[in-house]
Amino acid sequence: MNLRLMSITGCLFLLGVVKAQQNIPVYLDTSRSIEERVEDALSRMTVEEKVAITHAQSKFSSAGVPRLGIPENWASDGPHGIRAEVMWDEWYGANWTNDSCIAFPALTCLAASWNPEVSYLYGKSIGEEARYRNKNILLGPGVNIYRTPLNGRNFEYMGEDPYLASVMVVPYIKGVQSNGVAACVKHYALNNQEIDRDHVNVNVDDRALYEIYLPAFKAAVQEGKAWAIMGSYNKYKGEHCCHNQYLLNDILKRDWGFDGVVVSDWGGTHDTKEAIYNGLDMEFGSWTNGLDWGASNAYDNYFLANPYLKLLKSGEVTEKELNDKVRRILRLVYRTNMDHNRPYGSFGTKEHALAGRQIAEEGIVLLKNDRNVLPVNLNKVKKILVVGENAVKKMTVGGGSSSLKAKYEVSPLAGIQSRVGKDAEVTYVQGYASPAVKEQDVKDAKVPEQEKIDYAALREEAVKAAKGADVVFVVGGLNKNDNQDCEGDDRKSLGLPYEQDELIAALSKVNPNVVVVLVTGNAVAMPWIKNVPSVVEAWYGGTEAGNAIASILFGDVNPSGKLPFTFPVKLEDNSAHALGEYPGDGENVTYKEGIFVGYRWADKQKSKPLFPFGHGLSYTTFDYGKAVADKKVISKDDQITFTVTLSNVGNRPGAETVQLYIGDKKSSLPRPVKELKGFKKVYLTAGEQKEVSFTIDKEALSFYDDTKGQWVVEPGKFEAYIGASSGDIRSTVGFELK
Ligand code: BGC
């Protein structure tokens, strides 16, 4: 071909490309902005197509627009791993063989890491698993505040403090969404108990609402830029939270500028008109033909399906609200399934398992360690006894919607055995047992037959074995059975179930080296605490749980987790219970304690918890210097910096989370003694020291004045408390706001 011919062909080719591009409809043109594409897609959709995308078409999916090539949405629980596939219209498992995921530690464990970088790793990893499985909405993370230790779902949340939960939730969301998968933050809002969750009306004052219960959601929306949020089951101001004028239209969409999708909790929609007008965008999981329970393939009868269409067709409602819902849903689809540049994800990988292990190792909390019984030194300890059902029980299964089909799960016993190898003898006895439960996700599952549990005999066997052991690990706690850490109901008491208190007490009588390893997502009472030298809170650790626990017990990893919630001595030390405001009268629950939740209440009552918020020990020792402030007096627009020198004066490397609390000495409305306003996890080698600084501004000094309906900051004297936990303040420095 001569040169001339080549250039003519080239021109023709280019013209062709330009022409082809011109023919690309705007909604498919990747060079256009998402908003332009959304508007174009919207303008091409029929009213039936619009209504079709606002509600579920199966248990976990909603329709796309097949005529336009706009894909479906597929959601998955969340928040600790990607749930196994269920049937199209049934809750039981679909028995796929390629859906076994990596189970990550429960969110309480993540919160206990006090490490935002680890939270990003969590989000990125679980997002990759979701992406690989072609899920574009991950149903998590959960940030409902820990109001009572009885809440069956606390393990899915990030503790009692709004600041900690806010800082920890943001990187999780960013990590998930970096995969082109929407995080769906849940359960918005005030779903702080499981009892009566589908109808209880929560009465809470505006101060507690804005200062305690909303900040983590606000951070998720404004800083995390979450693409979806899930309404909760309960009511607020008499309206179900899935279609709630105040929470959804006024606060979330108007005040916070949320541009994503409000998804109903499964079965949380109750009324078509409320759903149309009060901020719901997508309806999932309604049980029904719109009225009663259990009709199958009822999707056309969902509140936002045919009943909605009927109202539109009759002219009783206009398309205004519908268009807003559809815009939001399309925006989510463009951010996820229609983002051609998003990564492909990965699933069940070693990297994810190791990420999970790292998160677990950073979250495990050493609660007590007298006589340095931990870490166990295998040069000296030759006979190890492991006791307890939780040493062998699968903990990735159960608990409700967060239950997982994990690719594998290393039990605490397996983790200990593999770490110990031939260096010592490891014996296991059960010590206690839990009643048999129905298998989850299995069609027509029945409760397996089980002989009556003879607790005394199990205990006796354990005591006998403990007599000759150098160290006894009691691996107990709660589990994910009903009334333990499980969705749908709450715990019945703060105590350990299945006669574990008796077991631990009996073991501690015959062996001085009893180490209690708790596997829970909640605080428990410890009547035996004085009789055992060491206690570890291991949480639900996921796929690599046992390896993470072993690495802590034998000192390969120096523990660095800190409690994300208070462990009260007894239930009545918790404000909701002290004031008798739990679980309400079946219709209403009133949060009489207001802002005094968790350590805010303990401080107010000057009571000493069993273990305070923020508590966690290390195998090394950290010394805090005297905290200094860079200013003594500040004005409203100033920042102020506090600095403290932290030294590792022990003989092994370790990490300490230095915590900053602020207290307002005098204010027009009652305020907590102190509130968390900063924290930093600092890694120090043996002998090393570092300066740790916190800079705050007026936001950290302000409170929500419900008489004015706004955040205010009042001049006066403040105190900055720097310490190792809310109960262990090492240095205090005063300052004044002019
Ligand atoms: C739970 C949600 C969950 C949904 C789907 C509901 O019962 O409250 O957290 O995402 O089910 O499984």
Side-chain angles (χ1 to χ4, degrees), residues 59-60 76-79 83 91 139-140 153 156-157 186-187 191 194 197 230-231 233 264-267 284 287 400-402 487:
K59 285 285 180 246
F60 282 98
S76 172
D77 290 301
R83 185 171 173 168
W91 286 110
L139 303 175
R153 287 190 94 170
E156 291 186 63
Y157 303 141
K186 61 196 193 181
H187 306 90
N191 183 183
E194 288 296 280
R197 68 169 177 174
M230 185 189 290
Y233 283 130
S264 75
D265 200 344
W266 269 233
F284 271 96
W287 309 113
S401 59
S402 62
E487 181 179 343

Side-chain angles (χ1 to χ4, degrees), residues 233-532:
Y233 283 130
N234 51 287
K235 293 180 189 164
Y236 170 63
K237 293 202 190 225
E239 285 177 2
H240 277 100
C241 295
C242 289
H243 27 78
N244 189 296
Q245 171 67 24
Y246 315 95
L247 292 174
L248 300 177
N249 284 342
D250 297 350
I251 297 177
L252 177 71
K253 291 182 175 175
R254 183 194 66 200
D255 297 349
W256 298 350
F258 177 65
D259 68 357
V261 177
V262 174
V263 174
S264 75
D265 200 344
W266 269 233
T269 312
H270 300 269
D271 183 85
T272 298
K273 280 205 180 156
E274 280 195 21
I276 295 172
Y277 291 116
N278 290 357
L280 180 67
D281 300 313
M282 242 186 183
E283 177 187 3
F284 271 96
S286 298
W287 309 113
T288 75
N289 54 7
L291 296 168
D292 37 54
W293 287 64
S296 62
N297 278 305
Y299 304 101
D300 285 346
N301 298 314
Y302 271 32
F303 295 95
L304 286 184
N306 285 348
Y308 193 5
L309 200 55
K310 216 168 133 196
L311 290 175
L312 286 157
K313 293 253 157 121
S314 71
E316 213 179 318
V317 303
T318 69
E319 280 189 47
K320 180 169 169 259
E321 293 76 23
L322 179 64
N323 287 341
D324 180 58
K325 297 180 202 305
V326 172
R327 279 192 184 96
R328 290 168 181 275
I329 295 165
L330 290 173
R331 195 175 289 133
L332 183 141
V333 179
Y334 279 112
R335 286 167 164 169
T336 59
N337 284 340
M338 287 183 81
D339 173 1
H340 299 300
N341 295 322
R342 68 184 178 146
Y344 294 102
S346 51
F347 188 64
T349 61
K350 196 169 171 197
E351 285 71 21
H352 290 169
L354 291 179
R357 178 169 175 173
Q358 186 192 335
I359 297 157
E361 287 171 349
E362 288 226 18
I364 292 174
V365 182
L366 180 63
L367 291 174
K368 177 177 180 186
N369 194 25
D370 286 356
R371 294 187 278 111
N372 293 334
V373 168
L374 292 178
V376 166
N377 180 346
L378 287 171
N379 292 323
K380 293 186 189 146
V381 167
K382 290 295 157 199
K383 278 185 163 185
I384 297 172
L385 176 68
V386 180
V387 182
E389 190 185 70
N390 280 3
V392 294
K393 189 173 165 59
K394 267 205 163 123
M395 288 297 181
T396 55
V397 178
S401 59
S402 62
S403 181
L404 295 171
K405 180 164 129 192
K407 195 168 174 186
Y408 69 93
E409 178 176 343
V410 181
S411 70
L413 178 63
I416 291 168
Q417 281 167 332
S418 102
R419 173 60 181 82
V420 170
K422 293 203 167 72
D423 292 345
E425 178 191 309
V426 179
T427 313
Y428 172 72
V429 293
Q430 197 179 353
Y432 75 89
S434 60
V437 290
K438 234 193 206 155
E439 220 176 307
Q440 268 196 240
D441 291 343
V442 175
K443 194 183 182 193
D444 304 327
K446 294 198 178 56
V447 181
E449 295 239 347
Q450 187 184 15
E451 281 179 30
K452 204 168 166 293
I453 300 166
D454 186 344
Y455 286 103
L458 288 170
R459 191 154 59 232
E460 215 172 287
E461 186 194 14
V463 167
K464 217 161 129 197
K467 281 181 185 156
D470 296 330
V471 67
V472 180
F473 293 129
V474 186
V475 187
L478 305 175
N479 57 33
K480 300 218 185 137
N481 295 357
D482 290 351
N483 297 115
Q484 303 299 325
D485 283 326
C486 186
E487 181 179 343
D489 218 333
D490 287 349
R491 297 165 66 202
K492 293 199 186 303
S493 74
L494 187 65
L496 284 173
Y498 320 132
E499 299 196 10
Q500 291 178 75
D501 286 340
E502 290 84 340
L503 173 70
I504 297 168
L507 290 169
S508 69
K509 277 196 189 131
V510 299
N511 193 305
N513 297 329
V514 171
V515 174
V516 178
V517 179
L518 292 168
V519 177
T520 78
N522 251 320
V524 296
M526 303 182 200
W528 33 260
I529 187 71
K530 291 212 169 79
N531 306 330
V532 300

Side-chain angles (χ1 to χ4, degrees), residues 211-226:
E211 290 187 24
I212 305 289
Y213 295 100
L214 293 187
F217 289 105
K218 185 178 181 194
V221 167
Q222 294 195 326
E223 293 163 50
K225 307 252 178 285

Side-chain angles (χ1 to χ4, degrees), residues 114-250:
W114 291 60
N115 186 344
E117 282 173 27
V118 155
S119 181
Y120 184 81
L121 174 69
Y122 194 127
K124 181 174 167 286
S125 309
I126 194 172
E128 283 167 354
E129 297 246 326
R131 171 67 188 97
Y132 188 87
R133 286 266 302 281
N134 283 322
K135 309 297 177 193
N136 68 321
I137 305 175
L138 175 77
L139 303 175
V143 285
N144 293 89
I145 289 292
Y146 189 108
R147 175 177 181 251
T148 154
L150 299 193
N151 180 10
R153 287 190 94 170
N154 278 337
F155 70 102
E156 291 186 63
Y157 303 141
M158 295 194 181
E160 73 185 26
D161 184 76
Y163 181 83
L164 175 65
S166 300
V167 173
M168 293 302 287
V169 74
V170 170
Y172 180 114
I173 294 167
K174 289 191 170 159
V176 170
Q177 295 189 165
S178 68
N179 292 287
V181 171
C184 181
V185 185
K186 61 196 193 181
H187 306 90
Y188 182 74
L190 301 165
N191 183 183
N192 309 101
Q193 65 189 46
E194 288 296 280
I195 294 187
D196 300 326
R197 68 169 177 174
D198 58 335
H199 62 269
V200 74
N201 182 48
V202 178
N203 297 311
V204 61
D205 60 63
D206 278 358
R207 280 198 73 196
L209 182 71
Y210 281 94
E211 290 187 24
I212 305 289
Y213 295 100
L214 293 187
F217 289 105
K218 185 178 181 194
V221 167
Q222 294 195 326
E223 293 163 50
K225 307 252 178 285
W227 293 335
I229 197 166
M230 185 189 290
S232 60
Y233 283 130
N234 51 287
K235 293 180 189 164
Y236 170 63
K237 293 202 190 225
E239 285 177 2
H240 277 100
C241 295
C242 289
H243 27 78
N244 189 296
Q245 171 67 24
Y246 315 95
L247 292 174
L248 300 177
N249 284 342
D250 297 350

